[in-house]
């Protein structure tokens, strides 16, 4: 009986973590799995995870497109990206949105 209860509790946390992660611009399924495997910690992590639209950006020197600051390779042109200087960092705005991956 205890294992059935655990499955229902884990499923509830999995759906909650998935919806929280999706509302922050991340993948529903990634947060669903994390919150289902580690129920309480996964949901808390999804809650404190930053919104994808709040991550600073920088311009790719190869194609000029906006990339997240932590990207190592541009997914458009394949240019290897070094960590930018402080003057190259762009604060995110609604016009410079980068779609979420996964």
């Amino acid at each position: 009986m205890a294992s059935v209860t655990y499955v229902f509790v884990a499923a509830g946390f999995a759906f909650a973590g998935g919806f929280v992660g999706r509302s922050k611009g991340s993948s529903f399924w990634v947060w669903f799995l994390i919150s289902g495997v580690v129920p309480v910690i996964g949901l808390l992590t999804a809650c404190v995870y930053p919104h994808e639209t709040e991550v600073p950006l920088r311009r790719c020197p190869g194609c000029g497109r906006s990339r997240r600051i932590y990207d190592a390779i541009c997914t458009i042109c394949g240019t290897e990206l070094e960590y930018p200087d402080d003057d190259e960092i762009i604060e995110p705005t609604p016009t410079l949105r980068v779609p979420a991956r996964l």
Side-chain angles (χ1 to χ4, degrees), residues 49-71:
Y49 188 76
H51 287 270
E52 289 291 325
T53 57
E54 295 174 356
V55 176
L57 304 170
R58 47 118 170 253
R59 295 248 182 234
C60 172
C63 63
R65 302 275 309 255
S66 297
R67 299 285 105 204
R68 289 189 183 90
I69 196 169
Y70 54 77
D71 287 343

Side-chain angles (χ1 to χ4, degrees), residues 19-35:
F19 286 121
V20 169
R22 183 69 188 142
S23 71
K24 293 188 173 201
S26 191
S27 172
F28 171 84
W29 294 109
V30 169
W31 286 108
F32 178 87
L33 290 173
I34 292 170
S35 299

Side-chain angles (χ1 to χ4, degrees), residues 58-99:
R58 47 118 170 253
R59 295 248 182 234
C60 172
C63 63
R65 302 275 309 255
S66 297
R67 299 285 105 204
R68 289 189 183 90
I69 196 169
Y70 54 77
D71 287 343
I73 296 177
C74 179
T75 56
I76 304 299
C77 66
T79 302
E80 190 171 328
L81 304 171
E82 299 293 327
Y83 197 80
D85 295 329
D86 289 339
D87 59 338
E88 296 174 346
I89 296 175
I90 303 168
E91 291 302 318
T93 62
T95 59
L96 289 175
R97 284 205 158 143
V98 177

